């Protein structure tokens, strides 16, 4: 059988089949309206749910009331905890954990997160902290900023219903937690914080504002690209990422322009889910490393920061992973190109055109980043994500990249 151009290009750089581990939710329920399966699914896992919601809008639109009726009809007790409309802070996790502990934990308890990445991350962190009390705060368990404590007790189970299509947090094994003083954005990381069930219902993403659709979709695209070329890349994510990228590049602009377009919403929900599975197992890279620092130093929303940094990351890394990027380009764009360079150029052009179609800013000065912030942003970029970048980066190089985007 004759091989297409993408298959031919893939040969010669596939990850060797060395030992690896792979984690994902125990169960994924995907499909338009699939949230209604909660009535049959939750009783299999517990008898009481502590609920974390992603925004007041979800409450006003009646989604929480609908879910509460489904849950209580199934004989499961509904215990509302909190609504969060921004990335969770250390103080948020600590406060909600105290709520849970004051109520008292019993057999059959679990967390239900309904919202974007922030709500799901908060639920995952609270699920872990509710059963682990060696530290005084979640900060004691965060990477590189706390006391280095590890979870000794299993977290409460988490069921996640994402209402955005971007972060893939419903399928990751970490919770991203921030702090304003001292400023940082770090992860609580443990395989056991992975949600046991991800209920991915594209219908609930229809009500998201176009700006959220755009930025969260660019987050998913960045995760799919970076996990594919990460220096920790693995065979299963490398199989999944190209398909997720194909879906996202094809359908994100449609979802942005036509919020109720079912096929586009389904495609983006699938792409986001795949991006979470991929990053959980293969890591990320430069774009996410700098995006985290942009969030901490300049308060830039994560998806917007990823959109800003992805083209620069593609240009920076093409010298060491050009063949991989060419394969991604051929697969995702569905075209053949006369050379590796031409294929990578086309991928960069497609990302930049999509970013323009989504009316996202092109320059750092447009989003409130000052020249004076650049050294601090560069210095703060060397976290876990940056360690996965296929090309080692220096602080000076990152400063130069940031200035070129100013």
């Amino acid at each position: 059988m004759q091989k297409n151009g993408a298959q031919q290009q893939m040969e010669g750089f596939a990850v060797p089949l060395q030992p690896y581990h792979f984690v994902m939710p125990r169960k994924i329920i995907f499909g338009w309206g699939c949230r209604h399966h909660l009535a049959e699914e939750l009783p299999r896992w517990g008898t009481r749910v502590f609920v974390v919601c992603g925004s007041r809008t979800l409450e006003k639109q009646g989604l929480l009331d609908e879910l509460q009726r489904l849950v209580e009809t199934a004989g499961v007790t509904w215990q509302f905890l909190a609504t969060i409309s921004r990335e969770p802070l250390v103080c948020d996790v600590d406060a909600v954990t105290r709520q849970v502990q004051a109520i008292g934990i019993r057999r059959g308890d679990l967390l239900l997160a309904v919202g974007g990445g922030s709500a799901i991350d908060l639920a995952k962190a609270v699920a872990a902290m509710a059963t682990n009390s060696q530290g005084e705060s979640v900060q004691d368990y965060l990477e590189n900023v706390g006391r280095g404590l590890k979870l000794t007790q299993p977290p409460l189970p988490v069921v996640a219903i994402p209402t955005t299509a971007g972060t893939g947090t419903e399928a990751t094994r970490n919770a991203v937690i921030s702090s304003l003083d001292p400023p940082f954005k770090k992860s609580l990381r443990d395989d056991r914080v992975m949600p046991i069930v991800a209920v991915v219902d594209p219908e609930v993403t229809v009500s998201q504002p176009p700006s959220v659709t755009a930025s969260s979709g660019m987050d998913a695209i960045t995760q799919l690209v970076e996990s594919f070329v990460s220096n920790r890349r693995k065979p299963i994510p490398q199989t999944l990422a190209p398909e997720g990228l194909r879906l996202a590049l094809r359908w994100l602009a449609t979802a942005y322009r036509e919020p109720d377009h079912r096929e586009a919403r389904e495609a983006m929900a699938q792409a986001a889910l795949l991006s979470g599975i991929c990053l959980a197992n293969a890591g990320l890279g430069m774009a996410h490393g700098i995006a985290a620092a942009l969030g901490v130093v300049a308060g830039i929303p994560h998806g917007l920061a990823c959109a800003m940094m992805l083209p620069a990351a593609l240009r920076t890394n093409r010298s060491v992973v050009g063949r991989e990027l060419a394969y991604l380009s051929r697969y995702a764009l569905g075209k053949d190109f006369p050379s590796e360079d031409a294929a990578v150029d086309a991928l960069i052009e497609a990302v930049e055109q999509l970013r323009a179609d989504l009316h996202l800013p092109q320059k750092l000065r447009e989003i409130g980043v000052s020249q004076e912030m650049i050294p601090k942003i560069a210095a703060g970029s060397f976290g876990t994500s940056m360690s996965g970048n296929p090309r080692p980066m220096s602080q000076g190089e990152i400063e130069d990249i940031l200035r070129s985007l100013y």
Side-chain angles (χ1 to χ4, degrees), residues 52-56 82-89 92 118-120 122:
V52 175
C53 179
S55 73
R56 297 290 180 192
T83 296
I84 187 163
S85 55
R86 53 171 168 76
E87 295 179 359
L89 301 174
D92 297 322
S118 296
I120 299 173
L122 176 60

Side-chain angles (χ1 to χ4, degrees), residues 269-320:
Q270 177 76 348
L273 173 64
L274 293 177
S275 80
I277 294 171
C278 290
L279 81 87
N281 291 281
L284 294 167
M286 176 191 124
H288 269 80
I290 299 176
L294 281 166
V296 171
V297 176
I300 307 304
H302 181 69
L304 179 57
C306 287
M308 183 70 67
M309 296 311 308
L310 179 56
L314 290 169
R315 292 189 174 95
T316 299
N317 289 320
R318 67 183 300 173
S319 62
V320 292

Side-chain angles (χ1 to χ4, degrees), residues 24-25 27-38 40-41 160-162 164-166 168 170-171 197-205 243-244 247 251 261-275 277:
M24 63 183 294
K27 188 170 187 176
I28 294 170
I29 302 172
F30 184 97
W32 198 267
C34 72
R35 63 191 181 278
H36 297 107
H37 289 287
L38 272 183
E40 61 193 63
E41 192 63 34
I161 304 178
T164 62
E170 67 272 13
V197 180
V199 181
V200 184
D201 184 348
E203 187 177 14
V204 303
T205 69
E243 176 61 11
L247 291 170
W251 289 107
H261 193 293
R262 178 167 173 168
E263 189 173 1
R265 290 296 185 178
E266 289 172 336
M268 287 310 303
Q270 177 76 348
L273 173 64
L274 293 177
S275 80
I277 294 171

Side-chain angles (χ1 to χ4, degrees), residues 327-346:
Y327 173 83
L328 271 182
S329 178
R330 289 183 168 98
Y331 188 102
L333 299 178
K335 301 176 182 178
D336 204 356
F337 297 94
S339 67
E340 180 181 294
D341 279 343
V344 178
D345 286 342

Side-chain angles (χ1 to χ4, degrees), residues 145-166:
V145 293
R147 292 164 53 194
L149 296 182
K150 303 297 182 183
L151 303 182
T152 60
Q153 300 298 317
L156 295 176
V158 175
V159 174
I161 304 178
T163 60
T164 62

